[in-house]
Amino acid sequence: MQSTTIIYLLKTNIENMMQYGFGAMRLPQKDETDFTSIDEEEFEKMVETYMDSGYSHFDTAYPYHDGASEKMIRKYVVEKYPRDSFTLANKMPSFELQRQEDLDDIFNLQLERCGVDYFDYYMLHNVSTWTLDALRKFNAYDHLVNLKREGKAKHIGISLHDNAEILEEVLKEMPEIEFVLLQINYLDWENESVQSRECYEIARKYGKDIMIMEPMKGGTLAELPEDISEKFKQQNPDISIPGWALKFCLDLDGVITVLSGTSNLEQLEDNLNTMKHAKPLDDDERELIAEAVEEINQISTIPCTQCNYCINECPQKIPIPTFFELYNIEKRLPSNGWSPQQGLYRTYAMKTAEASDCTACGACIEKCPQHLDIPEYMEDIVELFHNEFY
């Protein structure tokens, strides 16, 4: 599953230069059930490869890996390279705000964790219907503007997990926002729930720079069914399956960054190679992507992006994204009888909790950027995996 972020700057109102970036949302782990168990040796190799390739932009956030992401950035980026040799992006967790003082306390903790005096790019994280009340109550937007005036945030923006109507409302309310981080990929482009195209068009309407997250939809577009993958390979054998997802995003006007996750050196190198040789899509390629979307949508899968926001909300500590990932693999690559996915389900269930332990409390739903009915999907997990063992 891909997780470290590659960023490609096409054209920008912010800085007239080309950037590539490396994010730290889903870093390589030694223990998949422990988000803080970063494989530091692998991560260090990835950072070195990235920097040696001439790139210099890093992206992290307060909740990533339960705070370990920011600390790893400090250890393997900030403490190893001159501050003026890289740029760093971070985010204020809208969903963590409980009181006015949290804005300063969290920001100062982020500076400390990362070992820096300022962030080059800083944004309000996960602006959505359910976080707007807290952002307004604690004047988070004014706080963001003040950080820029004080030089502690060179450029300010928001990340959004909601519909186009909310985005327009926020952009009217927060005119000094310079950029918007949106979930965009070829599978969500016309999705009525995610509204990638509509959000993209609103951002363009207001003249905001656009950063893209989830171009592979949490890894969904990195591993496709064999028949769809074969069509992509026949069209262009030199482009990897994840590479097609990146190409789609790079073809959009007004996009300054495309963030794609990688969790090991091999994935990082593949993305860097795609970025280096990326060319605009032609008509045949666009038609092929449209056909792939139609076929993928016919497969019954769970549209989870593996963001892990639901994990800490579950009182039963069910590894929700992991179970969803196993479910999706099994659905796309069905097996006759036993499968590796069934074995992995059992392994994770024994370490943490069964899908059947879900009490349908709903605490996870509010935190899900994809607005998934997670308890209902848990019933599907039980039907597919749990019953195989009981």
Side-chain angles (χ1 to χ4, degrees):
M1 183 59 61
Q2 295 218 354
S3 66
T4 302
T5 304
I6 308 299
I7 298 179
Y8 176 61
L9 179 58
L10 291 176
K11 43 191 172 180
T12 177
N13 301 324
I14 294 177
E15 292 178 288
N16 186 24
M17 63 172 64
M18 183 175 291
Q19 296 184 58
Y20 292 83
F22 181 127
M25 180 178 181
R26 308 181 189 99
L27 300 179
Q29 296 174 203
K30 292 183 176 180
D31 180 355
E32 291 300 319
T33 65
D34 179 3
F35 293 125
T36 65
S37 64
I38 308 301
D39 185 335
E40 296 190 33
E41 182 178 356
E42 180 77 357
F43 177 58
E44 184 175 22
K45 289 179 182 178
M46 295 167 72
V47 171
E48 290 176 350
T49 298
Y50 172 78
M51 291 292 281
D52 288 345
S53 297
Y55 310 136
S56 59
H57 182 85
F58 294 84
D59 178 276
T60 187
Y62 181 81
Y64 294 173
H65 289 277
D66 290 340
S69 173
E70 292 173 322
K71 295 175 183 177
M72 290 297 102
I73 289 293
R74 175 174 185 160
K75 185 173 182 179
Y76 292 106
V77 179
V78 176
E79 294 181 356
K80 292 189 63 176
Y81 300 93
R83 182 64 181 92
D84 60 359
S85 69
F86 65 88
T87 56
L88 181 60
N90 210 328
K91 311 169 185 75
M92 173 61 65
S94 308
F95 37 84
E96 296 284 350
L97 299 178
Q98 300 292 328
R99 55 195 183 98
Q100 187 74 41
E101 292 78 11
D102 287 341
L103 291 165
D104 283 324
D105 291 348
I106 291 175
F107 182 78
N108 291 332
L109 178 58
Q110 290 178 298
L111 291 177
E112 180 184 348
R113 282 179 177 175
C114 292
V116 295
D117 297 321
Y118 66 91
F119 294 112
D120 300 274
Y121 301 89
Y122 198 73
M123 65 197 88
L124 300 179
H125 195 180
N126 199 352
V127 174
S128 59
T129 304
W130 62 272
T131 62
L132 271 177
D133 285 346
L135 292 174
R136 289 164 173 161
K137 178 179 180 180
F138 301 122
N139 302 311
Y141 169 60
D142 291 339
H143 184 264
L144 194 67
V145 171
N146 287 334
L147 289 176
K148 181 180 178 180
R149 291 172 179 166
E150 295 169 1
K152 296 179 179 179
K154 302 299 182 182
H155 305 291
I156 56 175
I158 63 170
S159 72
L160 182 103
H161 283 291
D162 215 306
N163 59 41
E165 182 179 356
I166 290 297
L167 175 59
E168 184 159 26
E169 179 181 338
V170 170
L171 292 183
K172 288 180 179 178
E173 186 175 334
M174 306 178 182
E176 293 188 57
I177 290 299
E178 299 172 84
F179 63 91
V180 180
L181 176 59
L182 299 174
Q183 177 172 319
I184 294 178
N185 55 69
Y186 64 73
L187 192 59
D188 287 330
W189 188 243
E190 298 293 349
N191 184 288
E192 294 182 2
S193 176
V194 181
Q195 297 186 358
S196 286
R197 178 180 57 79
E198 291 93 331
C199 288
Y200 167 82
E201 291 173 351
I202 290 296
R204 294 283 287 161
K205 173 183 175 181
Y206 284 84
K208 305 302 180 182
D209 287 314
I210 299 168
M211 296 184 177
I212 291 177
M213 58 180 161
E214 305 294 358
M216 298 178 200
K217 199 171 175 64
T220 296
L221 303 181
E223 297 181 19
L224 300 177
E226 185 175 352
D227 61 328
I228 301 177
S229 296
E230 189 59 34
K231 291 179 181 179
F232 277 122
K233 292 176 182 177
Q234 289 177 0
Q235 179 72 28
N236 190 331
D238 295 327
I239 302 177
S240 68
I241 299 304
W244 282 95
L246 295 180
K247 273 176 64 66
F248 174 83
C249 294
L250 294 174
D251 209 41
L252 299 172
D253 290 334
V255 173
I256 62 171
T257 62
V258 176
L259 289 75
S260 162
T262 58
S263 57
N264 57 51
L265 183 59
E266 181 180 1
Q267 293 173 355
L268 174 66
E269 291 176 333
D270 178 66
N271 279 358
L272 291 176
N273 183 65
T274 298
M275 293 296 193
K276 184 177 180 181
H277 298 98
K279 296 180 180 179
L281 293 169
D282 59 33
D283 291 340
D284 289 339
E285 290 174 331
R286 291 191 182 92
E287 183 177 350
L288 177 59
I289 288 176
E291 292 176 359
V293 169
E294 185 175 353
E295 290 189 44
I296 294 170
N297 283 335
Q298 293 176 358
I299 303 172
S300 178
T301 57
I302 303 171
C304 170
T305 62
Q306 305 288 310
C307 69
N308 297 313
Y309 294 158
C310 59
I311 291 291
N312 291 333
E313 301 306 312
C314 179
Q316 305 300 319
K317 304 303 179 184
I318 298 172
I320 299 168
T322 299
F323 284 174
F324 284 177
E325 179 183 14
L326 294 175
Y327 177 91
N328 287 345
I329 294 172
E330 184 71 11
K331 282 293 185 178
R332 294 192 186 96
L333 304 170
S335 57
N336 295 320
W338 184 89
S339 71
Q341 287 72 248
Q342 292 171 5
L344 286 170
Y345 167 81
R346 186 58 176 162
T347 297
Y348 285 110
M350 292 179 65
K351 286 185 177 180
T352 53
E354 303 271 9
S356 59
D357 291 331
C358 176
T359 63
C361 68
C364 54
I365 297 177
E366 187 179 85
K367 297 294 184 180
C368 179
Q370 309 307 315
H371 315 295
L372 302 180
D373 188 339
I374 294 174
E376 183 174 336
Y377 280 123
M378 280 294 113
E379 294 179 6
D380 296 333
I381 302 295
V382 172
E383 181 178 354
L384 185 63
F385 290 131
H386 185 83
N387 291 337
E388 294 292 330
F389 301 99
Y390 300 95

